[in-house]
Structure formats: C-alpha cells, structure tokens
Amino acid sequence: MILDSQTIDKLIRAGRIAKEVRELAIKYAKPGMKLLDLAEYVEKKIIELGGAPAFPVNISINEVAAHYTPVIDDELIIPEGSVVKIDIGVHIDGYIADTAATVSFNPAYDGLLEATQVALEKALEAVKPGIPVNRIGKIICETIESMGYKPIRNLSGHNIDHYMIHGGKSIPNYYDILTRWKLGDGVYAIEPFATTGIGLVREGSIITIYSLIKHKKTRMTLQEKRLFDKIWNERRTLPFTERWYAGLFKSKEGLRNTLASMLRKKIIYGYPVLIERSNGIVAQFEHTFIINGSDIIITTR
Ligand code: MN
Ligand code: MN
C-alpha cells in the first residue's frame, strides 16, 4: 500500500511542527522551571503552529524514562543537574509525528545523551524497505553498549497508524529474536533509550496519562459520559491529561474522582510512569519516518 499524497502531506506537516516545538522546548527548559510551565509552553506552541497534541507532552526526569506529564497545579520543578526527556506528539487529523530529545544539566551525562543520539542516527541510516527490525535493534544496542551504557530493553520504537501512536508492532532497542517483522510502507518511530542503570524499566505507582478504551456508553454516570463524549469527539483514543479537561468540572477533585471511577470501570486506560529499575539515569531520542515505496522521509528531522 502506497500512501496517498494528502496523508503524506499531513504527516509531513505534523512532523515539521513536532521538530520545531522540540527544538524550542529544549532551549526553553531550565533548572528551577516548573514542569507545568514547560508543558503548557510546548502544548500551546503545537496549537499555535497549526497542530494538535497527539499525547500530553511527556517530561521525564532522571531515572523516570517516560509517561510523566504534569498534573493540574503541579509543583514539580526541573532539578539542578538533572537529565530531562521531552517527548512530543503532534497530529493533524489523526496523522501523527512522535519525537523526543533529552537535555542534560549535568556534564557527567553528556556521554549518555551522545550514545543515545548516535544510536538513533545509526538506526535511521540503516532504515530501508524490507529491513528486519531486529537489525535496527542490534545497531541500537551495539552502539549504546560500545559507548559504555545500556539500552532499555523493555521500551521500543513502534509503527504508527491513523489516530494510533502505537500501531501494535515494536522496533526493539536490542536484537530480539522473537521480533521477526520487516519494515514496509507505513509510518514508524525509532526511539532508543540508554541508561547508566541495568536497562529495564518498571511501572511506577503514578498515572498522569490516560486514553479512552473504546466508545462504549454503558454503566457511565452523567459526569463520566460528558467527559467521555468530549474526549472521543476531540481525539478518539489518543492519550490525554487531566489538565485538558479541568474546565468541565467544578473542582480538580471532581475530575480526579471521575477519572478514578472510569479507570476502575475500564472505560479509560492509565499509563503508569516508567522508571529505570535500578534508578539509573535515562536518555531518549526519537524520530518519526515514513516509508512509501522506495522513499524514506524522516518527518521530525
Ligand atoms: Mn515519543
Ligand atoms: Mn514513540
């Protein structure tokens, strides 16, 4: 299946916005800044530039690898000497760009960032139609290990579908013998994570990012249905944050109680924060690309 030109155009526009906002965010982030201010800055820029967030911006500090977005009234601050991952998603009519970069406020981790970035570049150089994704994983792993760090094995790149950030297939960050598929026409993200730790993440107890599970209206209270319909109409099953829906409720407690109830009823899914198991410092870089026939377009570079 070759992608049509309208689809390609939207993917490219989403990619251009994601790249621009990523670069702005990296410059904007500073120790002492509230994560909430950085998140609002990023998401506002995405909209100003004509896109919509494909997911709440993930701002993950030090040993937190992914899936933290600031909550309403979040007081967390970027610590002095920290390593900050900023993972940005942009969509235009459901056509998604997914990109991430890391900024280090401690020179001791410059090598960690370098290893991750070089791994991503080498992986992208190898991308071509028909390449087994395992070969990409092998390149990522060997690059990171040769520079003295470990890839995170239970995080991976992925294919991207319309309104779906994770399309169901993984591009591993190591040589995984169980992953056998090859790249063909489609949209993909490659995202090496490298760490000073053992190279595995665990799920933390905090959830700040959610998505609707499907469009079902059974067993919902009036409040739940109102929230569900609003999110479904805006973004289908793309992930969301409580920050975007505070206006629908009298208090943040009301919103949080509703989300907790919807989680229990499995109307929404929660993405726990992912933390390096040995509390190693984590870096991440990510690009999205399209394969279309013999063309390869890196949309976020
Ligand atoms: Mn991402
Ligand atoms: Mn991704």
Side-chain angles (χ1 to χ4, degrees), residues 60-102:
S60 307
I61 309 283
N62 291 341
E63 72 276 12
V64 179
H67 293 176
Y68 186 80
T69 202
V71 295
I72 297 165
D73 300 329
D74 202 309
E75 292 291 333
L76 280 181
I77 276 173
I78 297 177
E80 296 288 341
S82 60
V83 168
V84 183
K85 278 100 25 210
I86 304 175
D87 194 335
I88 293 167
V90 175
H91 81 97
I92 292 178
D93 298 335
Y95 296 101
I96 296 166
D98 182 5
T99 188
T102 303

Side-chain angles (χ1 to χ4, degrees), residues 55 58 87-89 98-100 158 165-166 189 191 193 284 286:
F55 50 81
N58 288 210
D87 194 335
I88 293 167
D98 182 5
T99 188
H158 48 95
I165 292 151
H166 286 249
E191 51 182 313
F193 288 80
Q284 173 204 19
E286 177 176 27

Side-chain angles (χ1 to χ4, degrees), residues 5-6 58 61 111 134 179 204 264:
S5 63
Q6 272 200 353
N58 288 210
I61 309 283
N134 250 339
T179 305
R264 281 193 303 271

